Every structure is written in structure tokens, then in C-alpha cells.
Amino acid sequence: MTAPREIELKLVLAEGEAARVPLAPALAGHPATKARFVAYYFDTPDGALAKRQLGLRLRRSGSRWRATLKAGGQSAGGLHDRPEWEHPASGPKLDLARFAGTPLADVPDAATLHERLAPVLVTEFRRTLWHLEPTPGSRLEVALDEGRILAAGREARIEEVEIELLEGDANAAFDLAEALAGAVAMRPEPASKLARGLELAGTARSRPVRAPRVDLGPAGDDARAAARIAVAAALAHGQANEAGVLASGDVEFVHQLRVGLRRLRSALRLFGPVIDPAETAPFAEDLRWAANALGACRDWDVFVTGTLPSLLAARGDPVEAKHVLGRARERQREARRAAREAIASTRYGLAMLRLARWLSSVPGEPPPDAPGLKDFASACLRKGARQVARGEGALAGLDAAARHALRIRVKRHRYAVEFLGGLFRRKEATRHARRLARAQEDLGIANDCATAFAHVRELDPSPEFVAFAQGWFAAREAASIERAARSLARAAALRRFWRRKPDPEAAAAP
């Protein structure tokens, strides 16, 4: 028997934007109902339900109670598609018998589960609800939720919009979301209220999230399906760090969101030969804009937290150091404000929605002459390796601009290895990726010297300080280029793990 499904698009609002949602042209004039909810989420002391991606909830509105079980499903860019079972409850007590035949019955010691369950978090919120029929055969439920999550003595705000697809195609939900996002600052939210509450209940503070390992296995031999998997993984990586950029002073959140966007754009470039450019045109330029906003912030973060203290220590003038560092920190704060404004903007939210729409689409049948995924991957990896090898041979004669271009090629090849290496021998792919990362880092230090020296000049220091910094960065740049030559040589010397290029004569032989 097919489990009932919940398909909804979840959007988090920029702080203070909730009051503008009912005024948005897409909703203005449509009748709305209002209600207050209190919901209790349950789990065992050892987190048996969370470990199995199950969410068990008892929710009250007025005198009415409903019990709900949600199971792990698919989520990409804020569109959630998951099994859901819901029943009326007679009061503030769970009746697990109503969930017979669901994944709850597969939890170890299910017969005694009711004895071990306890509330782990509570949500309290006001809901404004609209029902829309944008086209015949399409029905949407739109909920504006405003309130808070309570867990382990902590709380977090709830300001979000959920667009649930009751009937029809998911494009109707995206159409409405884009209409709303054009009037109200919002962006797709990959985490449910339960997931946010469980993070809130954790003893450790929220930490920056690093890139996950990408498994292209579900794509089979279809390179276009692999493209969506790789892009979805990079998007999830970036989105996991968005809240940290907006709320935390930890510079690593900015770094990881920027890396997520870089990997995302690299994945789109890598799989460009099998993606119609018209499909990515609605969001490609906005991704570049967001990456640039984060890049400027990251440059100042690296300068203030790493490069400048070393330069000031070498200079040895504490009075001048205090003034220079103070001005640099102000520039860093300005760059952080600009990055936050970009992530909270309607432009960013619309780009993420359009990307999520593309991810939710299903590619058609590949053309008959389309290469298989491993052949496609091998061709991409061969090309990247040739570019790295050529760069290694020419590095000594490259100027700063050419070295920067080489670093970009090394970075793209590294991401290609990380995306595609699992199709072959993962151990060797991991070794390649590590050596390429080292070469990328060494080339990056050389490039950072030019950026950092430009930052020094922006701070209006004394001429003596400028002269000292110029010599200090020149020595640092020369040393990093020497290291980059060695690391590039080590990367170029690694044995290839991908398929060899087919021999045309062998392929033509009977």
C-alpha cells in the first residue's frame, strides 16, 4: 500500500518580513483563516526516532488534537516530499496503535515504545492559512507561521511560509513561491521545524557544515541525473550554512557557504555539456553575484584573522598596529553586513527558488548518442588533468593573473575529482583531491598576497608601512609559488584512476 505523501515547499522569511506576506499581490484579496498551534514532538532518550528520520508530533489547535508521523523522504532546495500519516487524537495523549503498519512499527522494541517516548521540543506559533486554486486541477495550501521553537531551555524564532501541494504539479507551488519571493524577502528552507528544534536541543552550538561526500550511484549511467545529484549536494552544503552567516560571527560559516556556491557553480560547469543552458539561465548570473558578495567578505575575514596579524607582528610597531587593525576590522564588518544583506535579499531567495525548481524537474530521455556516465566522467577528468599538467610546466613563467587562472583550473579539477571519483576507485580519487587541494591552497596564498596588499593600501597607512608590506608580501608570494610548483608536480605525477581514452582503431575493429 502506498503511504500518503506530503509535498511542500518551505520558505524562511528574512527577519521582520512576516507582516508583508498577506499584502503580497499573490495573496492579497484571497480569504484567510487564522489559528494558534502548540505542537509537541516526541522521541526516546536515545533518539530512536531521529536516527530513523521519523518525526512524531502531537499538535493542538483550540480544543482539537491531531497526531502526525512523518518519515524521511526527498528534500532538495526546500521542496520536501515525504510520507505522512495523520489522525485525530482524543486529547494530549499519543495512541500508537493508530500508526500500525507505518515505519514506527519497525523501531526496535516497538511494543514498549509508548513507555519510552517523551517530548523533546515544543513549537508555539500563529498560522495564517490560504487555500488557492491557481489553475484548474491545481490546489495549494499556503501557511504563514509566526512563533517560536522551545528546546532544552533555548528558543528560536519561527517566521516561515509553507506551500503544500494538495493537487496538481509542483510547478504551481514554485510559481506561487516566486511570486511571493518577488515581493517579500524569503529563501528556501531545507530544515523542518523538528530538525531545527533537535539542533536547538543539542548541547553543542551550531557549527559550520562542510561539503558532504557525493554519491552518484542513483544516477545509474545518466550524466544528466548525475548533474542534479551533484548540484543538489552542493546546494545542501551551502544552505546548511546560511543561518550561520546571518546570525553568527564565526567566519567559517561564510567560508563554507561560499565553498558551497563555488562547488555548485563548478558542478553546473562540469556537467554543462549535458545541460541545456536555457535551463540554468534563470539563476546562473545570480549565483555569480552571490558568490562575489561572499568572496569580498571572505577576503576581509582572511586578511583580518590571518594575514594582517602576521604582517603587524613582523612590522613590530604596536601603535601603528592598533590603528591599522581597527580600520581593517571596520572594513571586515562592512563586508559582513553586505554579505548578510545579499543572503537575506529577494534576489538571492529567487535564485535559490529557481535552482530548486530545476532540481525538482525530471530530465527527459537522453539522446541515443549520449555517452554513459563513466565515459563522460573520464573525458572530464582527462581534460582537467591535462590542464593541471600544462600549468605545472608553465608555472615559473606566469604572471599574477595567469597564476590566478591556473588556480581556478586546479580548483575545478579538484571538484570534478570529488564529484566523479566515486564512480571509479575512491581511494585514489581521494588522494588526487588532497594533492590538488594542496596545490590550490599554495596558489591561493600567492593570489591572496596581491589581494591583501590592495587591502593594506585601502587602510591609508603610513608610506613606511606600505613599503614594508610590499616587501613582506613579495617574499611570501615567492615562497608560495615555490611550494605550488612542488605540489602541482606531485598532483600531476599521480596515477590516473579513470578510464583511458578509447582507441579509435580498436573501436572500429570487427
Side-chain angles (χ1 to χ4, degrees):
M1 181 177 178
T2 303
R5 294 165 62 208
E6 176 192 55
I7 302 175
E8 70 177 9
L9 190 57
K10 187 180 288 291
L11 305 150
V12 63
L13 296 163
E15 192 166 357
E17 290 285 279
R20 300 179 59 196
V21 173
L23 306 177
L27 294 176
H30 292 278
T33 59
K34 296 178 183 291
R36 288 184 175 272
F37 290 91
V38 178
Y40 302 87
Y41 291 81
F42 294 82
D43 207 337
T44 63
D46 61 349
L49 302 192
K51 290 173 184 174
R52 289 160 180 80
Q53 294 186 300
L54 297 176
L56 184 59
R57 181 185 74 201
L58 194 58
R59 178 187 281 177
R60 175 177 62 82
S61 177
S63 60
R64 292 175 296 176
W65 292 83
R66 293 190 72 82
T68 304
L69 174 69
K70 296 186 182 185
Q74 300 176 4
S75 176
L79 183 68
H80 302 257
D81 183 348
R82 55 202 168 193
E84 179 188 60
W85 298 264
E86 193 168 50
H87 305 287
S90 58
K93 186 177 180 180
L94 286 168
D95 180 4
L96 299 189
R98 302 296 300 271
F99 296 105
T102 72
L104 207 59
D106 298 327
V107 175
D109 301 318
T112 61
L113 182 60
H114 64 286
E115 299 174 0
R116 293 175 284 133
L117 289 174
V120 291
L121 63 101
V122 179
T123 60
E124 302 172 346
F125 57 93
R126 301 183 306 277
R127 169 165 286 183
T128 307
L129 196 65
W130 295 264
H131 285 92
L132 306 179
E133 295 186 18
T135 58
S138 177
R139 292 191 302 119
L140 302 173
E141 182 178 270
V142 185
L144 166 63
D145 291 343
E146 304 170 77
R148 59 180 182 166
I149 302 172
L150 303 169
R154 306 183 183 97
E155 69 174 75
R157 73 179 179 96
I158 297 173
E159 281 188 278
E160 64 185 29
V161 169
E162 295 177 352
I163 304 175
E164 184 172 355
L165 181 66
L166 302 179
E167 183 181 359
D169 186 86
N171 276 317
F174 280 109
D175 288 341
L176 178 61
E178 286 196 35
L180 290 175
V184 182
M186 58 175 68
R187 67 183 192 280
E189 172 57 78
S192 65
K193 291 183 180 72
L194 172 59
R196 291 181 61 204
L198 291 176
E199 181 177 356
L200 193 66
T203 55
R205 66 182 177 87
S206 177
R207 297 183 180 277
V209 177
R210 296 183 176 275
R213 175 177 287 184
V214 179
D215 178 13
L216 299 183
D221 207 29
D222 188 346
R224 293 170 311 153
R228 282 168 167 76
I229 293 173
V231 171
L235 176 60
H237 173 209
Q239 286 182 321
N241 291 283
E242 287 174 348
V245 171
L246 295 171
S248 170
D250 188 339
V251 299
E252 187 64 15
F253 281 111
V254 172
H255 178 50
Q256 290 302 324
L257 175 51
R258 184 187 180 212
V259 170
L261 290 180
R262 285 195 322 201
R263 288 171 61 85
L264 196 162
R265 296 177 66 220
S266 289
L268 290 171
R269 175 185 289 272
L270 176 67
F271 288 97
V274 296
I275 299 174
D276 183 348
E279 296 178 21
T280 58
F283 51 82
E285 185 55 38
D286 292 328
L287 291 178
R288 184 212 295 269
W289 161 79
N292 287 341
L294 290 164
C297 182
R298 176 62 180 170
D299 285 346
W300 278 104
D301 284 342
V302 171
F303 180 68
V304 170
T305 61
T307 308
L308 185 56
S310 298
L311 172 61
L312 294 174
R315 173 68 171 163
D317 185 337
V319 175
E320 189 172 37
K322 180 179 179 180
H323 291 296
V324 170
L325 188 57
R327 289 193 291 269
R329 284 173 175 163
E330 179 54 37
R331 293 296 184 91
Q332 181 189 24
R333 286 190 290 269
E334 291 171 1
R336 176 61 60 88
R337 283 193 292 270
R340 285 173 171 163
E341 288 172 3
I343 302 308
S345 69
T346 56
R347 183 177 182 180
Y348 182 85
L350 280 167
M352 294 299 107
L353 272 170
R354 290 163 181 162
L355 176 57
R357 184 199 287 262
W358 177 73
L359 285 172
S360 72
S361 66
V362 179
E365 288 296 319
D369 58 345
L373 179 54
K374 282 194 173 182
D375 287 337
F376 172 84
S378 296
C380 292
L381 293 170
R382 281 195 299 271
K383 179 180 178 181
R386 285 197 301 269
Q387 291 178 334
V388 171
R390 283 200 295 267
E392 183 243 330
L395 179 60
L398 299 181
D399 60 15
R403 285 197 305 271
H404 179 57
L406 173 59
R407 177 175 178 260
I408 291 174
R409 291 196 296 273
V410 171
K411 176 190 68 178
R412 288 174 179 165
H413 184 46
R414 170 197 165 191
Y415 289 158
V417 169
E418 291 175 347
F419 287 133
L420 303 171
L423 297 170
F424 304 98
R425 295 187 291 277
R426 188 173 289 279
K427 270 185 150 180
E428 291 187 30
T430 300
R431 189 178 299 114
H432 267 75
R434 285 175 180 165
R435 291 201 180 177
L436 289 166
R438 182 65 198 184
Q440 178 187 336
E441 180 181 354
D442 291 334
L443 287 165
I445 292 173
N447 181 66
D448 289 345
C449 287
T451 302
F453 184 58
H455 284 342
V456 166
R457 297 179 72 91
E458 289 180 52
L459 301 176
D460 195 27
S462 66
E464 294 78 14
F465 187 89
V466 172
F468 177 84
Q470 187 171 24
W472 190 83
F473 282 121
R476 183 181 171 94
E477 180 182 38
S480 67
I481 292 171
E482 289 183 10
R483 290 194 302 271
R486 292 193 295 270
S487 54
L488 275 174
R490 286 194 291 268
L494 282 171
R495 185 164 63 92
R496 308 301 185 235
F497 58 85
W498 48 86
R499 288 178 175 175
R500 293 181 178 276
K501 188 174 183 179
D503 183 343
E505 293 184 5

